[in-house]
């Protein structure tokens, strides 16, 4: 006789627990927002009984690198992510965040990737979080403070280092944001609003992160010829301020740098013995951001994702557009900007080596407001599971899941997420390991994955039978204290 009851019980599942351990078969029970039991055979009755029939049951995927700051408010169903099994998104990457920003004109690129209008921003993280708590999304949100956002709010020119007064202003904005629940500081030293900032400016800000708790993630100054110098700069910031650092979307861009992941991973590995370092990657050889001239020489092909000046360019090749306009490539860029683009600039072997590296998390870097987005927005997680783990046998399925769950929760210090364990939040994904695959392509980038059978966030089903339930049980994860200092050290 069953002595206990639960809200949901999933029976006969292949449990992949997120730690990287080998899958085992068993049952899992959910009560309220939490996993209430798991074991080989549970003698529990439940309101909802699900027969998994051997399908894989894993912790919900955590998207380590997103630009979902605004889409969680404007399209809270988050179909692009829940259809992949994503249950938590880390926002505010690459130096750009939706708060704390008060401006009265269109923001400079790349801030316009997330917020094209001044009114899209929030003056404080407290206001941003409470807007999100009043109108929650389907997924949980971990939000970072962007350095470029702080600069935009504080400086009248980005063509120089911040003065000591401006640094003080940024530090107090940052401190308040972290106290309001932001998880860390991101930089995008590659981008114009920040590329004149010296290392010392970031070290001064990272000091606040050290004091308040959190981490520092970075879209490094140079991912091309100067990638090693940029790694050293990143490590230095982490050491000086004593904060964990996360190298965002690690890659070696440009033909001349193809194959250099052998070198960069060796350097990262040596540094990880000295200080906490994490990294993320997306599973594609093409990158995507605003349209920039300095990427032309580095790219084999460039596709336009949006243009504010011309309609109908999205999805098209820049060379073709230039030929049609009767202009050179650089003149075409001037003519159609502000715009966004996809750049084919990485080497498949580097992508595989970086993805296989043990500390590498999976992050989509998807751009949800692009009209013709990079397929990574809809395809990242099923592509790693189906294409790279199953079809290409790059690593076992358990490792793939770990890179999207347990490793990510540990790196960001997320409490009770990312693993299947009694008492953890019931963020879950049930998927078919034989059929899971991305369907989003560069031609048709906005299509849901196949094989993601059910997605549960905080105990509530958000995706089932290829349809969003429209439930919005996501939380702002601002309660966690992000004690990553000790956790990331090994
Ligand atoms: Zn970036
Ligand atoms: Cu990014």
């Amino acid at each position: 006789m069953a002595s206990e009851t639960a809200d949901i019980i999933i029976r006969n599942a292949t449990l992949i627990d997120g730690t990287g351990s080998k899958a085992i078969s068993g049952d899992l029970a959910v009560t309220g927002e939490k996993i209430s039991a798991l074991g080989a055979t549970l003698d529990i009755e439940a309101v909802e009984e699900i027969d998994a029939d051997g399908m894989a049951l894993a912790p919900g995927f955590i998207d380590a690198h997103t630009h979902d700051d605004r889409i969680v408010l404007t399209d809270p169903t988050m179909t692009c992510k829940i259809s992949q099994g994503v249950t938590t998104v880390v926002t505010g990457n690459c130096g750009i965040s939706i708060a704390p920003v008060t401006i009265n004109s269109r923001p400079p690129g790349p801030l316009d990737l997330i917020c094209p209008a001044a009114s899209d921003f929030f003056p404080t993280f407290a206001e941003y979080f409470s807007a999100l708590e009043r109108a929650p999304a389907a997924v949980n949100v971990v939000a970072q403070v962007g350095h470029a956002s702080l600069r935009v709010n504080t400086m009248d020119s980005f063509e120089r280092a911040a003065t000591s007064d401006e640094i003080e202003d940024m530090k107090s904005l940052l401190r308040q944001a972290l106290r309001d629940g932001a998880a860390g500081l991101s930089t995008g030293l590659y981008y114009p609003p920040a590329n004149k900032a010296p290392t010392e400016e970031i070290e001064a800000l990272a000091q606040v992160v050290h004091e308040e708790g959190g981490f520092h993630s970075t879209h490094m100054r140079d991912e091309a010829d100067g990638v090693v110098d940029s790694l050293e700069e990143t490590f230095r910031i982490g050491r000086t301020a004593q904060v964990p650092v996360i190298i965002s979307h690690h890659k070696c861009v440009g033909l001349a740098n193809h194959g250099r992941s052998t070198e960069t991973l060796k350097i990262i590995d040596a540094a990880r013995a000295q200080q906490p370092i994490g990294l993320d990657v997306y599973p594609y050889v093409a990158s995507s951001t605003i349209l920039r001239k300095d990427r032309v020489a580095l790219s084999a092909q460039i596709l336009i994702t949006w243009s504010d000046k011309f309609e109908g360019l999205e999805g098209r090749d820049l060379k073709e557009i230039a030929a049609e306009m009767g202009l050179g490539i650089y003149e075409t860029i001037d003519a159609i900007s502000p715009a966004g683009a996809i750049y084919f600039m990485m080497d498949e072997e580097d992508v595989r080596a970086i993805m296989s590296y043990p500390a590498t998390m999976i992050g989509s870097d998807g751009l949800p407001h692009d009209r013709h987005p990079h397929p990574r927005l809809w395809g990242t997680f099923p592509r790693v599971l189906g294409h790279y783990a199953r079809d290409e046998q790059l690593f076992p399925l358990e490792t793939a899941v770990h890179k999207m769950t347990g490793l990510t929760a540990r790196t960001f210090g997320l409490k009770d997420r990312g693993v299947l364990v009694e008492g953890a939040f019931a963020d879950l994904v049930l998927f078919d390991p034989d059929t899971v695959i991305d369907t989003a392509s560069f031609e048709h980038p906005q299509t849901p994955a196949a094989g993601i059978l059910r997605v549960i966030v905080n105990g509530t089903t958000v995706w089932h039978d290829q349809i969003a339930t429209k439930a919005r049980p996501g939380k702002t994860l601002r309660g966690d204290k992000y004690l990553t200092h000790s956790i990331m050290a090994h």
Side-chain angles (χ1 to χ4, degrees), residues 244-258:
V245 291
I246 293 165
I247 302 154
S248 294
H249 44 59
H250 183 43
K251 53 172 115 58
C252 301
V253 308
L255 209 55
N257 299 301
H258 286 185

Side-chain angles (χ1 to χ4, degrees), residues 65-67 92-96 113 191 219 248-249 251 280 282 288-289 364-367 376:
H65 187 112
T66 84
H67 295 286
N93 279 287
C94 301
I96 61 179
L113 290 176
Y191 291 111
H219 178 155
S248 294
H249 44 59
K251 53 172 115 58
D280 60 74
Y282 49 80
S288 185
T289 184
S364 70
D365 201 8
L367 297 169
R376 67 194 183 186

Side-chain angles (χ1 to χ4, degrees), residues 60-61 69 72 77 84 87 142 165 223 263 271 288 291 293 313 349 372 396 398 404 411 421 442 446 466 473:
F61 306 145
D69 306 44
V72 289
T77 305
Q84 299 182 58
T87 56
V142 176
D165 281 352
E223 296 174 310
E263 184 187 350
S288 185
L291 182 59
K293 288 180 186 167
L313 298 184
E349 287 312 311
H372 188 96
E398 289 90 341
M404 323 174 161
T411 303
V421 64
F442 287 95
Q446 304 185 74
Q466 295 300 99

